[in-house]
């Protein structure tokens, strides 16, 4: 009987120990499984996040490339307009300088009466020569440069220059026509106001006026182009 009780106690203890062991084992196994599942979930989550991040990065790279390409195009346009403005300003400045040379010949005309008083033939001769020298400049270098400027504007300027700049250039190209229209308007107003009558009408225009106006038009065009270039290219003074 004592032996029987011993075995009962033994097997009971053994079963209890095994049960506790397997209980701890199963619990640990479950915990490890849960950790593995969490780890796999985390890996999948990280993988999804990485994929999303890569997509976002790819989109940003695409946007960055588009912005850079746009900036490059705008920079090229700016460079083109800059070179165009510099070319036009250089030409108009050359025109202005030749006009100043011609003006020096014209400025000598008023002093002829004092230098050759009473010698009308000599005065007319020198005056004619001075006018011819000034006219050669206007019909030579000035005319050639004006044609060059007009060709540059027609080939490149019409596509890239602002309407304000085109107005400045058109005013220069049409300076003589504008001068004549203003002269005619002033002439007609003088007739209406009685300052000029039909008995003393004479042409108020002179060759000197024509030459001086051309020079003044070049000066105004040069200043207007400088101002327009600073505004268009956003150059601070």
């Amino acid at each position: 009987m004592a032996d029987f009780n011993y075995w009962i106690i033994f097997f009971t203890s053994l079963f209890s120990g095994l049960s506790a062991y397997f209980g701890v084992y199963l619990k640990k196994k479950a915990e490890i499984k849960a950790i593995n599942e969490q780890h796999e979930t985390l890996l999948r989550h990280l993988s999804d996040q990485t994929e999303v991040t890569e997509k976002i990065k790819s989109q940003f790279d695409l946007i960055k490339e588009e912005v850079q390409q746009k900036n490059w195009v705008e920079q090229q346009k700016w460079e083109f307009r800059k070179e165009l403005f510099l070319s036009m300003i250089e030409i108009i400045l050359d025109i202005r300088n030749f006009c100043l040379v011609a003006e020096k010949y014209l400025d000598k005309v008023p002093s002829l009466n004092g230098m050759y008083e009473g010698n009308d033939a000599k005065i007319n001769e020198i005056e004619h020569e001075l006018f011819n020298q000034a006219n050669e400049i206007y019909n030579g270098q000035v005319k050639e440069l004006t044609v060059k400027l007009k060709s540059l504007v027609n080939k490149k300027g019409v596509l890239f220059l602002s309407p304000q700049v085109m107005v400045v250039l058109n005013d220069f190209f049409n300076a003589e026509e504008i001068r004549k229209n203003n002269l005619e308007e002033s002439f007609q107003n003088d007739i209406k106001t009685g300052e000029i009558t039909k008995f003393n009408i004479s042409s108020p225009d002179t060759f000197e006026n024509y030459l001086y106006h051309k020079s003044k038009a070049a000066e105004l065009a040069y200043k207007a182009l400088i101002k327009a270039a600073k505004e268009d290219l956003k150059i601070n003074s």
Side-chain angles (χ1 to χ4, degrees):
M1 187 65 179
D3 291 338
F4 179 75
N5 289 335
Y6 170 78
W7 288 109
I8 291 175
I9 293 171
F10 172 76
F11 283 113
T12 299
S13 299
L14 179 62
F15 180 76
S16 297
L18 291 173
S19 297
Y21 170 78
F22 280 111
V24 172
Y25 170 77
L26 292 175
K27 182 179 179 181
K28 290 293 183 182
K29 186 176 181 181
E31 290 177 353
I32 292 172
K33 182 180 180 182
I35 291 173
N36 288 335
E37 290 177 350
Q38 290 177 355
H39 182 65
E40 291 177 358
T41 301
L42 180 61
L43 289 177
R44 286 197 300 272
H45 182 65
L46 289 175
S47 177
D48 292 341
Q49 282 189 330
T50 301
E51 184 178 353
V52 171
T53 301
E54 288 299 323
K55 287 182 179 180
I56 294 175
K57 183 176 181 298
S58 177
Q59 291 175 351
F60 273 124
D61 289 341
L62 182 60
I63 294 174
K64 181 180 178 182
E65 182 179 347
E66 290 177 351
V67 170
Q68 288 177 338
Q69 184 176 4
K70 183 178 179 180
N71 289 340
W72 183 86
V73 171
E74 291 301 319
Q75 179 65 24
Q76 294 304 305
K77 288 182 180 179
W78 187 91
E79 289 288 344
F80 181 86
R81 293 201 310 277
K82 181 195 73 172
E83 294 301 323
L84 181 57
F85 270 114
L86 289 177
S87 296
M88 292 191 300
I89 290 171
E90 181 179 2
I91 294 173
I92 202 73
L93 183 58
D94 286 341
I95 292 174
R96 171 60 177 158
N97 288 335
F98 278 116
C99 287
L100 290 175
V101 173
E103 280 187 23
K104 290 181 179 180
Y105 292 117
L106 299 179
D107 291 341
K108 294 178 181 180
V109 173
S111 64
L112 294 179
N113 287 326
M115 295 173 62
Y116 303 98
E117 186 175 0
N119 192 346
D120 292 341
K122 187 66 174 180
I123 292 174
N124 291 334
E125 178 187 350
I126 296 177
E127 182 180 283
H128 182 72
E129 179 62 26
L130 291 173
F131 282 158
N132 281 342
Q133 288 177 321
N135 195 37
E136 283 179 6
I137 293 175
Y138 281 111
N139 288 326
Q141 294 95 329
V142 171
K143 185 175 182 180
E144 291 173 2
L145 287 169
T146 301
V147 171
K148 181 180 179 181
L149 178 61
K150 187 177 293 186
S151 176
L152 178 63
V153 172
N154 289 335
K155 288 180 179 178
K156 299 179 180 180
V158 291
L159 294 176
F160 295 95
L161 296 177
S162 67
Q164 293 80 1
V165 177
M166 292 303 297
V167 169
V168 170
L169 292 168
N170 285 329
D171 283 348
F172 173 70
F173 294 139
N174 299 315
E176 177 59 14
E177 182 179 349
I178 294 173
R179 184 187 73 88
K180 287 183 177 180
N181 290 338
N182 291 338
L183 192 63
E184 179 63 24
E185 183 179 347
S186 176
F187 186 61
Q188 293 300 328
N189 287 335
D190 288 343
I191 293 177
K192 290 179 181 179
T193 57
E195 293 183 26
I196 298 177
T197 68
K198 62 181 181 178
F199 299 106
N200 62 359
I201 291 179
S202 60
S203 175
D205 198 7
T206 65
F207 183 64
E208 290 175 87
N209 288 340
Y210 157 70
L211 295 179
Y212 275 121
H213 185 77
K214 184 71 173 179
S215 179
K216 188 63 178 179
E219 179 187 1
L220 294 175
Y222 171 74
K223 292 180 179 179
L225 271 181
I226 292 293
K227 181 181 179 181
K230 288 182 177 181
E231 293 176 353
D232 184 86
L233 301 175
K234 295 179 175 58
I235 300 174
N236 295 326
S237 300

